[in-house]
Amino acid sequence: MKFFIDTANLDQIREAQELGILDGVTTNPSLMAKEGVKGKEAIFQHYKAICDIVDGDVSAEVFATDYEGMVREGEELLKIDPKITVKLPCTKDGIKAVKYFSDRGEKTNCTLVFSVGQALLAAKAGAKYVSPFIGRLDDISSDGVGLVREIAGVYRYYGYKTMVLAASVRHTRHIIQCLEAGADVATCPLKAILGLLNHPLTDKGLATFVSDANKMME
Ligand code: E4P
């Protein structure tokens, strides 16, 4: 399973990249707004800065909600860097735009996916990634990880090439659940990724090794 980081924060992206485990980045308008980026030029520069840090796909989401606007914006985003993946919402216009870009060999991420039916349309339109939002489904007492498992099963059975990118990952346990559910990618907050390292026996064992090593060097 690939690891993407779900943020537009350059320090966090750098930290994950330096860890050596990062495969890509996802952003959305809310994450970009959180970084205080304002105006088209600054937004594009910010995407470029992200692309310069990471080795892998960088999802940049269109702001438009109509087909023509999405195509226009997506074309502009693609000029920023070859790592850019156009992120499009799973709506009627969004699916048409996914098809437009995939027909031209461009990478797309079909986002805001909450059902197998939406994931089916994204795959048929040729999306490189489909993003089921697991945390937001859990928030309404639905089963986010269950949806990832269902989509992954259907894609494998029918041979769809679209990768299941588990999004809206909220904590470390979600990452393990995505792995078990057959996600191709999980996009996670840095805190959830670093949480994978936490184990009291690692801390305890290391403390003993350090103390024994020091004794030998006295
Ligand atoms: C994914 O691409 C989205 O940017 C993101 O995972 C949404 O997460 P949230 O539900 O925590 O806002």
Side-chain angles (χ1 to χ4, degrees):
M1 187 174 79
K2 289 189 177 190
F3 267 114
F4 286 8
I5 189 166
D6 193 31
T7 184
N9 183 278
L10 299 182
D11 289 337
Q12 289 189 17
I13 295 169
R14 223 170 269 122
E15 191 176 334
Q17 175 67 24
E18 282 165 8
L19 202 56
I21 50 82
L22 193 63
D23 300 301
V25 176
T26 52
T27 63
N28 63 38
S30 307
L31 293 171
M32 290 291 282
K34 234 168 115 180
E35 298 310 306
V37 194
K38 276 205 162 106
K40 188 171 164 184
E41 203 179 316
I43 292 169
F44 278 35
Q45 276 171 8
H46 199 85
Y47 285 136
K48 182 63 187 159
I50 294 175
C51 292
D52 288 346
I53 297 171
V54 72
D55 298 320
D57 288 348
V58 174
S59 285
E61 188 160 344
V62 296
F63 293 180
T65 53
D66 63 299
Y67 170 72
E68 285 79 13
M70 289 186 205
V71 166
R72 202 167 40 243
E73 249 186 74
E75 297 278 20
E76 285 187 290
L77 289 167
L78 286 167
K79 287 186 193 132
I80 298 173
D81 193 281
K83 292 171 192 165
I84 291 288
T85 300
V86 185
K87 199 173 179 192
L88 299 148
C90 195
T91 59
K92 194 173 163 191
D93 286 42
I95 289 294
K96 275 171 72 182
V98 168
K99 178 81 174 118
Y100 171 91
F101 287 111
S102 60
D103 279 352
R104 285 158 183 78
E106 302 292 0
K107 296 171 287 188
T108 56
N109 174 355
C110 192
T111 191
L112 287 168
V113 165
F114 296 94
S115 72
V116 176
Q118 288 178 313
L120 172 65
L121 291 178
K124 286 191 73 74
K128 176 166 182 184
Y129 302 103
V130 68
S131 290
F133 275 37
I134 65 177
R136 293 192 195 187
L137 279 168
D138 289 359
D139 286 345
I140 57 158
S141 305
S142 198
D143 181 8
V145 174
L147 177 62
V148 168
R149 186 175 295 108
E150 273 183 82
I151 297 172
V154 167
Y155 280 5
R156 258 152 228 162
Y157 185 81
Y158 288 100
Y160 288 116
K161 301 263 185 307
T162 301
M163 296 170 87
V164 182
L165 193 170
S168 188
V169 166
R170 298 277 171 76
H171 48 73
T172 304
R173 177 86 190 118
H174 265 160
I175 301 178
I176 304 300
Q177 290 173 317
C178 287
L179 199 65
E180 291 165 355
D184 299 292
V185 189
T187 187
C188 323
L190 181 61
K191 195 169 165 241
I193 298 174
L194 295 178
L196 291 167
L197 289 167
N198 291 343
H199 203 290
L201 291 180
T202 304
D203 299 339
K204 194 176 165 216
L206 186 62
T208 308
F209 289 155
V210 168
S211 138
D212 289 340
N214 287 341
K215 277 182 215 152
M216 284 189 286
M217 300 303 283
E218 277 165 7

